Amino acid sequence: MTTTAAPLDVATVRADFPILGRTVREGKRLVYLDSGATSQRPRQVLDAERAFLEIANAAVHRGAHQLAEEATDAYEGARAKIAAFVGVDFGEIVFTKNATEGVNLVAYAMGNAATSGPEADRFRLGPGDEIVVTEMEHHANLVPWQQLAERTGATLRWFGVTDEGRLDLSDVDELINPRTKVVAFTHQSNVLGTVNPVKSIVDKAQAVGALTVLDACQSVPHSKVDFHALGVDFAVFSGHKMLGPSGIGVLYGKRALLEALPPFLTGGSMIEMVQMARSTFAPPPQRFEAGSPMTSQAVALGAAVDYLSAIGMDRIAAHEHVLTEAALKGLAEIPGVRVVGPLDTEDRGGAVSFVVEGVHAHDAGQVLDSLGIEVRVGHHCAWPLHRRMDAAATVRASFYLYNTLDEVQALLDGVRETQKFFGVA
Amino acid sequence: MTTTAAPLDVATVRADFPILGRTVREGKRLVYLDSGATSQRPRQVLDAERAFLEIANAAVHRGAHQLAEEATDAYEGARAKIAAFVGVDFGEIVFTKNATEGVNLVAYAMGNAATSGPEADRFRLGPGDEIVVTEMEHHANLVPWQQLAERTGATLRWFGVTDEGRLDLSDVDELINPRTKVVAFTHQSNVLGTVNPVKSIVDKAQAVGALTVLDACQSVPHSKVDFHALGVDFAVFSGHKMLGPSGIGVLYGKRALLEALPPFLTGGSMIEMVQMARSTFAPPPQRFEAGSPMTSQAVALGAAVDYLSAIGMDRIAAHEHVLTEAALKGLAEIPGVRVVGPLDTEDRGGAVSFVVEGVHAHDAGQVLDSLGIEVRVGHHCAWPLHRRMDAAATVRASFYLYNTLDEVQALLDGVRETQKFFGVA
Amino acid sequence: MQLQQMYQEIILDHYKNPHGRGLRDPFDAESHQINPTCGDEVTLRVKLDGETVADVSYDGQGCSISQASTSVLTDLVVGKPIGEAFKKMDAFVELMQGRGQVEPDEDVLEDGIAFAGVAKYPARVKCALLGWMAFKDAVSRSEGAKA
Amino acid sequence: MQLQQMYQEIILDHYKNPHGRGLRDPFDAESHQINPTCGDEVTLRVKLDGETVADVSYDGQGCSISQASTSVLTDLVVGKPIGEAFKKMDAFVELMQGRGQVEPDEDVLEDGIAFAGVAKYPARVKCALLGWMAFKDAVSRSEGAKA
Ligand SMILES: Cc1ncc(COP(=O)(O)O)c(C=O)c1O
Ligand SMILES: Cc1ncc(COP(=O)(O)O)c(C=O)c1O
């Protein structure tokens, strides 16, 4: 990938992130390589949230006073920004507490179609219907579908993964068939880094009338993503992985689908009319935002989107590309290290997972941590994928806009140090 | 109610809340009387959240590095504080995004008992079973039960409300009967202020083997509440109504019940073991916290609980008692004003809702807003209750520890001004 | 004072003495609209005569803004061709959603220009539009019934 | 360096040369335990002889800490009365959950005292306890089977 924009000025970026100045374990400089789990927050995002709370905090949508007006404007203004950031319309964005809730929302709402009117027919599932996922899904985009299958009697099926860590599409025409009701898959694997061919899967699904649900948790924070261009029906991502707060996620849904989708969580703010015995529901997005929302968190996520946009998603992607390439090259040069996932940077994001032969991931992570290098160890909520790749657990380094080539070098040195410590090299 | 502790020093308290220093509408001093909808946040809570984000932010429970350790300690430390605050054990506290999610969690998990093992038998519902609520519920504790009834075929029944705004318990022995599976009711009405006799309802429910779910949204922020002493099976409350952040709520469940309750949201962090075809689940509270949690929000809610505890819930309750008494007395002296709810302060909290005869609540709210007085107008997410009380909409003033008698006076003056403006007095 | 800007005399007059209020027969279609935040409701009937709005009758409960704007509505649309009525509706909606930045045209909106101040209060915009939503819905129903 | 404090020689020795490893017959009960965050697992069998732990055999995969602590476990409990074995377990659990504040008793825990440094790393405590949880579970199953 090439880009004509000037490269990212990492030093300037880093200065925006207070936490990157701290040390860990006996004064080691913090090398944070765990942004795939959660990212850090720049001052601009922290300041925006605090300013909102010190000036305009109030219950949104429910109040008629000035604070409530200002709070509602800030909240809905954030929705508009976030919608534009992923190329969709204002009313197609639903705020959830995290991406996991977003997937559950779609799965449960489909289950609720059983007791809804004819407008919800296309969401109805039962015995004989099929739900398709992949073997590289995060548990968040797997377990809710297992449960939906269990509740409705539908059958769960899945795409396999090749030895190289790519989706095995050889049986796509068998897997996506007229019985298929939903195809739920990840845009970018949080373990392998693999970027999946969204458009071609969506085309296959559309051809048989199946809905598509995209897990965009690892793509939206790291590159320019346009859900309208991708053509997916639903997509989810999380604020905390893109410089925003914890406690807020986003569900995108095509307008016509959201309009027909039955509610999931019910309560205040999502109703049209309530009587003791029954209720009717508001149009989307309100229908899917029951209770007091994540007000300041939405505002802060809006600020995160501003921050990312000001730098430019293309420059961020290009920067991560350089880091990923250096990490893959460096790890390839260390004997006894096996990278789990594509070895080149083609259609590949910046999650680099690996096994140090003879050293358990937990132990490797401990040595790295003692050097100040914060990576994630385990199955990264993708246990079936780890079984498939024949790794009980892996070490994962994941990069973001504030990481440097120096930090990649620190990781590589740390891996050698790990081998030395455990006497395997 | 009497208390021997020194009264609250409101001026000192107010200085902790930055937003209270602002003005609204052409320079009017802000009189914030909408804490029943959402409270404001003291500097101490804002600082605690920011410090966490600048020092120890990381994914909790999933990481082995130092940041992850510190973040996990902060998150679980907050759980311990909050558990102690409401008199329960550490493992009995589940974090949700708001109270609404908490009620939905219990309702959906009960629905999921249909496809769970025998340990979930006591949660199973079907035709012939009854769910009991009350006519004074917030939509959050009504609509989820309507929906559960619709999904399972169970019957929804409810307690009425007297003209005085008290729960009508005359038919309690008919309503709570051997067919009753759940009794869901509010501790303190967000409209009437009424405090319900929890213990006696719990006793009746226990006698027939029904579960109890308490909506403690309006009680926990304003008085000392001990769920173990009350004997309820489940209870919910929200962070944003008790000086904490939006985006975090709490579900309390008796340990043995949480252990038997099927999961609701599924995904990462709530599993024990995941295979492609099926999964098993972690013990509580993790089983009910799918996905990346509201980390900094939990930390901030812990700080809110510290702040409230340092002042003392008894002193806060006593302070609000004084304000409520003054408001009730003052409103009673204005001809053409009808208070909806108990007219005395016996078993009554600080939500004071009223109708100004001849002036719609929206219009009254607008006049008050023009004077800087921020109240809530509408049905306050309790539409059936408003129908019962023969009010299309009411004006609600709700008090908290930072409100003053001066502000109550401003409200009373504002109501007279409203009457003058619309020519009804 | 801001309050007077919002509650123009015209609005208070229409509120106290609403025009065309009460449900009347005959009618082609009826619409019932609710404002879910405050429970305000309006039931509105439309009688068309070819392409002309022959009568609009309504009943409901609500704040001064919603009641007055429905009263103004009847003045604006009764006796007008549907196309012209919808143009007035579009102009009124544009005014209300303009946050106080839209300059109303008195030739089109007549008494409706009094609502310019209301547009500065986003929480009240729904009130001002309640009757208009009912009108739009009722016309489309009566056209649907005829088609 | 902190790392050496955690990975005491004793731990690395047990990891490289585990004691009593492998699943053996006969046994009274078996327990399978998983660490859900990393997928580590242990299968552990217990053979009781009256009130005495006659044999413990196990297999599994995991990090040095989980493997070494299970190896130490067999040294500590095999041949001991159940009551004494459980006392050792309690002492080990207390040590591991003590955040580095608990002083271990070498008379009770023998090689187990090497895990004192691990207790400072909360994310690793589960690893150190994995085999012990399996032991506890297997004993209660075999007692249950006999009762
Ligand atoms: C009595 C009562 N129950 C439930 C709720 C819902 O709380 P939340 O919106 O935080 O979920 C509220 C507040 O809105 C309330 O006052
Ligand atoms: C690919 C992927 N999907 C889903 C999730 C779940 O996101 P969250 O935990 O924010 O709900 C994550 C991150 O944990 C992820 O990396």
Side-chain angles (χ1 to χ4, degrees):
Chain A
M1 191 174 63
T2 53
T3 171
T4 49
L8 205 69
D9 177 0
V10 194
T12 307
V13 166
R14 288 180 69 86
D16 289 332
F17 291 79
I19 202 171
L20 298 180
R22 74 164 274 182
T23 60
V24 290
R25 304 289 182 219
E26 303 180 308
K28 299 291 185 318
R29 154 183 95 107
L30 171 66
V31 176
Y32 187 74
L33 300 182
D34 198 14
S35 296
T38 203
S39 65
Q40 298 301 343
R41 327 281 160 78
R43 239 180 279 277
Q44 289 83 341
V45 168
L46 300 174
D47 288 348
E49 185 163 7
R50 180 137 189 168
F52 171 80
L53 290 169
E54 293 192 348
I55 295 170
N57 181 52
V60 300
H61 287 302
R62 297 182 182 181
H65 53 68
Q66 186 178 348
L67 287 193
E69 270 175 19
E70 292 181 15
T72 304
D73 281 354
Y75 179 68
E76 294 301 336
R79 193 194 304 275
K81 275 184 203 175
I82 293 160
F85 186 69
V86 291
V88 306
D89 299 342
F90 178 75
E92 297 180 318
I93 290 295
V94 173
F95 290 123
T96 58
K97 71 174 174 178
N98 51 25
T100 303
E101 186 197 335
V103 179
N104 278 274
L105 190 165
V106 178
Y108 271 103
M110 290 185 72
N112 289 344
T115 45
S116 301
E119 77 287 353
D121 273 352
R122 63 180 305 178
F123 299 112
R124 220 159 279 158
L125 272 175
D129 291 327
E130 295 179 2
I131 299 168
V132 176
V133 296
T134 88
E135 213 175 359
M136 66 166 78
E137 294 314 303
H138 187 281
H139 297 163
N141 201 28
L142 168 59
V143 189
W145 301 114
Q146 292 178 344
Q147 295 290 105
L148 179 64
E150 192 163 318
R151 286 195 300 271
T152 59
T155 303
L156 186 75
R157 305 189 64 186
W158 54 89
F159 285 101
V161 170
T162 68
D163 292 342
E164 292 70 41
R166 299 281 178 191
L167 218 50
D168 179 357
L169 292 167
S170 58
D171 49 357
V172 59
D173 291 316
E174 203 277 303
L175 271 175
I176 302 184
N177 64 55
R179 292 183 303 279
T180 312
K181 283 281 183 158
V182 203
V183 183
F185 63 106
T186 193
H187 194 175
Q188 182 165 327
S189 162
N190 66 314
V191 176
L192 309 165
T194 308
V195 175
N196 287 320
V198 179
K199 198 79 191 66
S200 77
I201 297 171
V202 166
D203 286 346
K204 296 275 184 194
Q206 278 174 353
V208 299
L211 296 167
T212 48
V213 180
L214 188 71
D215 178 351
C217 281
Q218 296 290 343
S219 56
V220 164
H222 300 286
S223 54
K224 182 85 206 110
V225 173
D226 182 324
F227 292 134
H228 277 183
L230 290 172
V232 292
D233 293 317
F234 295 99
V236 299
F237 56 98
S238 266
H240 67 96
K241 293 188 199 278
M242 52 190 287
L243 313 185
S246 58
I248 187 161
V250 173
L251 167 70
Y252 155 73
K254 277 186 188 158
R255 185 188 298 270
L257 290 173
L258 286 182
E259 268 161 15
L261 192 69
F264 167 45
L265 299 179
T266 59
S269 298
M270 56 73 71
I271 56 95
E272 181 188 61
M273 195 273 312
V274 178
Q275 294 171 342
M276 281 312 290
R278 58 177 288 280
S279 304
T280 57
F281 305 109
Q286 271 66 44
R287 188 190 305 156
F288 304 103
E289 296 185 357
S292 301
M294 296 64 74
T295 327
S296 70
Q297 291 81 15
V299 171
L301 183 55
V305 156
D306 285 343
Y307 185 91
L308 290 168
S309 301
I311 291 178
M313 293 312 292
D314 285 347
R315 284 164 84 198
I316 292 171
H319 176 71
E320 290 182 30
H321 185 88
V322 170
L323 301 178
T324 307
E325 199 153 51
L328 287 173
K329 186 161 166 289
L331 288 170
E333 286 165 4
I334 307 178
V337 170
R338 171 166 73 101
V339 169
V340 174
L343 301 179
D344 57 37
T345 52
E346 184 83 3
D347 288 330
R348 191 194 199 294
V352 179
S353 299
F354 56 93
V355 171
V356 182
E357 308 290 353
V359 184
H360 188 278
H362 253 179
D363 293 319
Q366 202 76 47
V367 178
L368 293 172
D369 178 44
S370 76
L371 300 167
I373 303 162
E374 312 287 55
V375 293
R376 182 148 166 205
V377 297
H379 52 58
H380 322 309
C381 298
W383 202 336
L385 174 64
H386 273 74
R387 271 192 218 96
R388 162 64 186 92
M389 302 311 280
D390 206 15
T394 56
V395 177
R396 181 186 73 185
S398 52
F399 307 115
Y400 211 178
L401 73 169
Y402 37 62
N403 291 122
T404 65
L405 279 171
D406 268 8
E407 292 180 318
V408 174
Q409 193 53 52
L411 170 71
L412 298 171
D413 294 344
V415 170
R416 290 184 200 274
E417 182 92 16
T418 302
Q419 291 179 317
K420 220 183 300 162
F421 186 84
F422 284 100
V424 296
Chain B
M1 190 172 67
T2 53
T3 169
T4 49
L8 206 68
D9 176 359
V10 193
T12 307
V13 166
R14 287 181 70 86
D16 289 333
F17 291 78
I19 203 170
L20 297 181
R22 76 165 271 182
T23 59
V24 290
R25 304 285 182 223
E26 304 179 307
K28 299 290 186 317
R29 153 184 96 106
L30 171 66
V31 176
Y32 188 74
L33 300 182
D34 198 15
S35 296
T38 202
S39 66
Q40 298 299 343
R41 327 280 159 78
R43 239 179 279 278
Q44 289 83 342
V45 168
L46 300 174
D47 288 348
E49 184 164 6
R50 180 137 190 168
F52 171 80
L53 291 169
E54 293 193 347
I55 295 170
N57 180 52
V60 300
H61 287 302
R62 296 181 184 182
H65 53 69
Q66 187 178 348
L67 287 194
E69 270 174 20
E70 291 180 17
T72 305
D73 280 355
Y75 179 69
E76 294 301 335
R79 193 194 305 275
K81 273 183 205 176
I82 294 159
F85 185 68
V86 291
V88 306
D89 298 343
F90 177 76
E92 297 181 318
I93 290 294
V94 173
F95 289 123
T96 57
K97 71 174 174 177
N98 51 25
T100 303
E101 186 197 335
V103 178
N104 278 274
L105 191 166
V106 178
Y108 270 104
M110 289 184 72
N112 290 343
T115 46
S116 300
E119 77 287 354
D121 273 352
R122 62 179 305 178
F123 300 112
R124 221 160 278 160
L125 273 175
D129 290 328
E130 296 179 1
I131 300 168
V132 176
V133 296
T134 88
E135 215 176 357
M136 67 166 78
E137 294 315 304
H138 188 281
H139 297 162
N141 201 28
L142 168 59
V143 189
W145 302 114
Q146 292 178 343
Q147 296 291 106
L148 178 64
E150 192 163 319
R151 287 195 299 272
T152 58
T155 303
L156 186 74
R157 306 189 64 187
W158 54 88
F159 284 100
V161 171
T162 67
D163 291 343
E164 292 69 42
R166 298 282 176 190
L167 218 49
D168 178 357
L169 292 167
S170 58
D171 50 358
V172 58
D173 291 316
E174 203 277 303
L175 271 174
I176 302 185
N177 64 54
R179 293 182 304 278
T180 312
K181 283 281 183 158
V182 204
V183 182
F185 63 105
T186 193
H187 194 175
Q188 182 166 326
S189 162
N190 66 314
V191 176
L192 309 165
T194 309
V195 175
N196 287 320
V198 178
K199 198 77 190 65
S200 78
I201 297 172
V202 167
D203 287 346
K204 295 276 184 194
Q206 279 175 352
V208 299
L211 296 166
T212 48
V213 180
L214 188 71
D215 178 351
C217 280
Q218 296 290 343
S219 56
V220 165
H222 301 285
S223 55
K224 182 86 207 109
V225 174
D226 182 323
F227 292 134
H228 277 184
L230 290 173
V232 292
D233 293 318
F234 295 100
V236 300
F237 55 98
S238 266
H240 67 96
K241 293 187 199 276
M242 51 190 286
L243 313 186
S246 58
I248 188 162
V250 173
L251 168 70
Y252 155 73
K254 275 186 188 158
R255 183 188 299 269
L257 291 173
L258 287 182
E259 267 160 16
L261 193 69
F264 167 44
L265 300 178
T266 58
S269 299
M270 57 72 70
I271 57 94
E272 182 188 62
M273 193 272 313
V274 178
Q275 294 170 342
M276 280 312 289
R278 57 178 289 282
S279 304
T280 57
F281 305 108
Q286 270 67 44
R287 187 189 304 157
F288 304 103
E289 295 185 357
S292 302
M294 296 65 74
T295 327
S296 69
Q297 290 81 13
V299 171
L301 184 55
V305 156
D306 284 343
Y307 185 91
L308 290 169
S309 300
I311 291 177
M313 293 311 293
D314 285 347
R315 283 165 84 199
I316 292 171
H319 176 71
E320 290 182 29
H321 184 88
V322 170
L323 301 177
T324 307
E325 200 153 50
L328 288 173
K329 187 161 163 291
L331 289 170
E333 286 165 3
I334 307 179
V337 170
R338 171 166 72 103
V339 169
V340 174
L343 302 179
D344 57 34
T345 53
E346 185 82 4
D347 288 331
R348 192 196 199 293
V352 178
S353 299
F354 56 93
V355 171
V356 182
E357 308 292 352
V359 184
H360 188 279
H362 254 180
D363 293 319
Q366 202 77 47
V367 178
L368 292 172
D369 178 43
S370 77
L371 300 166
I373 303 163
E374 313 286 56
V375 294
R376 183 151 165 203
V377 298
H379 51 57
H380 324 308
C381 299
W383 202 337
L385 174 64
H386 273 74
R387 270 192 219 98
R388 162 63 187 93
M389 301 310 280
D390 206 17
T394 56
V395 177
R396 181 186 72 186
S398 52
F399 308 115
Y400 212 179
L401 73 169
Y402 37 62
N403 291 121
T404 65
L405 279 171
D406 268 7
E407 293 181 316
V408 174
Q409 192 54 53
L411 170 71
L412 299 172
D413 294 345
V415 171
R416 289 183 200 273
E417 182 93 15
T418 302
Q419 291 179 316
K420 219 182 301 161
F421 187 83
F422 285 98
V424 296
Chain C
M1 191 196 176
Q2 285 183 329
L3 208 58
Q4 263 87 17
Q5 267 176 41
M6 171 167 180
Y7 290 105
Q8 303 266 335
E9 274 307 319
I10 299 177
I11 294 179
L12 294 177
D13 283 349
H14 275 276
Y15 176 45
K16 284 170 195 158
N17 305 298
H19 304 178
R21 197 182 167 93
L23 292 171
R24 285 182 294 278
D25 285 311
F27 64 98
D28 295 317
E30 182 176 290
S31 172
H32 181 233
Q33 297 288 322
I34 308 182
N35 183 340
T37 48
C38 60
D40 284 0
E41 2 190 348
V42 65
T43 304
L44 184 145
R45 293 176 176 176
V46 168
K47 169 78 195 136
L48 300 182
D49 183 0
E51 282 301 298
T52 302
V53 180
D55 191 28
V56 169
S57 68
Y58 65 95
D59 203 355
Q61 56 164 15
C63 63
S64 59
I65 305 297
S66 70
Q67 300 303 296
S69 85
T70 310
S71 169
V72 167
L73 179 157
T74 64
D75 288 356
L76 286 177
V77 305
V78 173
K80 300 284 183 333
I82 295 175
E84 193 184 331
F86 273 35
K87 265 196 203 118
K88 287 179 190 286
M89 180 174 75
D90 291 346
F92 190 73
V93 170
E94 192 199 347
L95 173 65
M96 294 319 299
Q97 293 179 340
R99 295 250 156 170
Q101 306 301 310
V102 174
E103 196 58 56
D105 181 345
E106 185 160 5
D107 289 347
V108 177
L109 290 179
E110 304 172 26
D111 278 5
I113 64 166
F115 291 80
V118 178
K120 289 188 197 136
Y121 298 85
R124 305 306 296 279
V125 169
K126 266 194 202 156
C127 311
L129 295 179
L130 192 68
W132 290 90
M133 294 302 107
F135 174 67
K136 184 180 177 183
D137 186 43
V139 171
S140 79
R141 279 166 196 254
S142 48
E143 290 182 321
K146 285 175 183 173
Chain D
M1 187 197 178
Q2 284 183 327
L3 209 57
Q4 265 87 16
Q5 266 176 41
M6 172 165 179
Y7 289 106
Q8 303 267 335
E9 274 308 319
I10 299 178
I11 294 180
L12 294 177
D13 283 350
H14 275 276
Y15 176 44
K16 284 169 195 157
N17 305 296
H19 305 179
R21 195 181 167 94
L23 291 172
R24 285 182 293 277
D25 284 312
F27 65 98
D28 295 318
E30 183 176 288
S31 172
H32 181 232
Q33 296 289 321
I34 310 183
N35 182 341
T37 48
C38 59
D40 286 358
E41 6 190 343
V42 64
T43 305
L44 184 145
R45 293 176 176 176
V46 169
K47 169 77 195 140
L48 299 183
D49 184 0
E51 282 301 298
T52 302
V53 180
D55 192 26
V56 168
S57 69
Y58 65 94
D59 204 355
Q61 56 164 14
C63 63
S64 58
I65 305 297
S66 70
Q67 299 303 297
S69 86
T70 311
S71 169
V72 168
L73 179 156
T74 66
D75 287 356
L76 287 176
V77 305
V78 173
K80 299 284 184 333
I82 295 174
E84 193 182 330
F86 273 34
K87 263 195 206 121
K88 287 179 190 285
M89 180 174 75
D90 291 345
F92 190 72
V93 170
E94 191 199 348
L95 173 65
M96 294 318 299
Q97 294 179 339
R99 295 253 156 167
Q101 305 302 309
V102 173
E103 196 56 58
D105 181 345
E106 185 160 5
D107 289 347
V108 177
L109 290 179
E110 304 173 27
D111 278 5
I113 64 167
F115 291 80
V118 178
K120 288 186 199 138
Y121 297 85
R124 305 304 298 277
V125 169
K126 268 194 202 155
C127 311
L129 294 179
L130 193 68
W132 290 90
M133 293 303 107
F135 174 67
K136 185 180 178 183
D137 185 44
V139 172
S140 79
R141 279 166 196 255
S142 48
E143 289 182 324
K146 284 176 182 170

